[in-house]
Amino acid sequence: MEGKQTRGRQKIAIKRIENEDDRLITFSKRRSGIYKKASELVTLCGAEVAVLVFSPAGKAFSFGHPSIESVANRFLGQNIAPNDNTHPLVEAHRKVRINELNQHHNELLSEMEAERDRGKVLKEGTSEKSSQGWWEAPIDERSLQELKQMNVMLEEFHKKLHKKINELRRNGGAASSSSFQAHTGHATNIPFCQL
């Protein structure tokens, strides 16, 4: 059995995050977490909740139940008659839809973070040895995740390479090989599979 691949959940120091991309992702994730906790408070306790957050860029985000306006009016002492015209089935459907959207939002955030991490790994792989390409780095020094990512990149490169070769072959035979050689620095006399 292999050792643990990730560091798991880490405790972070509570201080300003200097990297702007990391700061924006953290803001979005923490905001979603606050909304989720507020929604749970509403569901579990029947509380009226309002959360208002301004992003570092100054954009306002809010969550309120039954609405941000009604909670704010109640807080300010402006008791407006509650709008109780909503049918319970409509309200139940609305809550389910909000939970689905929150879940989808969290999934997208996770995907975005995974792509950002993939980009960092790729960037590190190419910048470690600037004289070598990532494909020339010793594979013994790579993690399973890095090897999987390298495999995906090689498959994508392979598809693009075959597409370009076939395109050049269709567009002129001998001229295409010199064009390909000028384009890539390699001759086309290497045997390739036809796709």
Side-chain angles (χ1 to χ4, degrees), residues 2-194:
E2 288 186 33
K4 193 173 182 181
Q5 292 290 322
T6 64
R7 295 184 304 180
R9 193 172 191 161
Q10 299 290 310
K11 193 160 187 95
I12 63 164
I14 302 298
K15 63 177 183 164
R16 181 176 170 80
I17 299 170
E18 296 305 321
N19 182 297
E20 185 177 1
D21 290 338
D22 292 344
R23 188 169 53 246
L24 292 173
I25 289 170
T26 300
F27 173 80
S28 189
K29 281 184 162 184
R30 297 272 176 140
R31 187 187 74 230
S32 295
I34 287 172
Y35 288 174
K36 183 177 179 182
K37 292 293 183 186
S39 178
E40 290 170 358
L41 193 59
V42 168
T43 303
L44 296 172
C45 306
E48 292 184 21
V49 177
V51 178
L52 178 62
V53 181
F54 285 91
S55 72
K59 186 174 180 184
F61 295 90
S62 64
F63 171 87
H65 181 82
S67 71
I68 194 92
E69 293 84 8
S70 67
V71 176
N73 287 335
R74 184 170 177 195
F75 178 75
L76 295 172
Q78 300 172 358
N79 288 333
I80 295 175
N83 185 3
D84 218 35
N85 297 338
T86 308
H87 191 278
L89 286 176
V90 172
E91 183 64 21
H93 177 71
R94 187 185 70 79
K95 286 180 182 178
V96 167
R97 184 67 181 138
I98 288 172
N99 287 337
E100 288 172 353
L101 290 172
N102 280 336
Q103 183 178 358
H104 184 65
H105 180 257
N106 289 335
E107 289 168 0
L108 290 174
L109 287 175
S110 296
E111 288 176 24
M112 187 171 75
E113 183 177 2
E115 286 299 316
R116 181 182 57 100
D117 291 345
R118 180 176 177 235
K120 281 184 179 178
V121 167
L122 295 176
K123 189 175 183 179
E124 289 169 2
T126 57
S127 65
E128 283 175 359
K129 298 178 181 176
S130 59
S131 62
Q132 287 186 328
W134 55 265
W135 57 91
E136 295 175 310
I139 61 172
D140 296 344
E141 299 172 7
R142 301 292 177 189
S143 70
L144 178 60
Q145 178 69 18
E146 290 173 318
L147 291 173
K148 286 180 179 181
Q149 289 175 345
M150 289 173 72
N151 187 46
V152 168
M153 291 188 304
L154 283 170
E155 288 173 354
E156 290 173 7
F157 176 76
H158 188 254
K159 287 177 188 175
K160 289 178 184 177
L161 181 65
H162 281 286
K163 181 179 177 184
K164 185 65 177 177
I165 290 170
N166 289 333
E167 179 183 304
L168 291 171
R169 285 182 179 160
R170 282 191 301 271
N171 292 337
S176 68
S177 70
S178 63
S179 170
F180 181 76
Q181 187 170 3
H183 214 59
T184 63
H186 299 289
T188 57
N189 58 359
I190 300 170
F192 288 104
C193 312
Q194 286 285 24

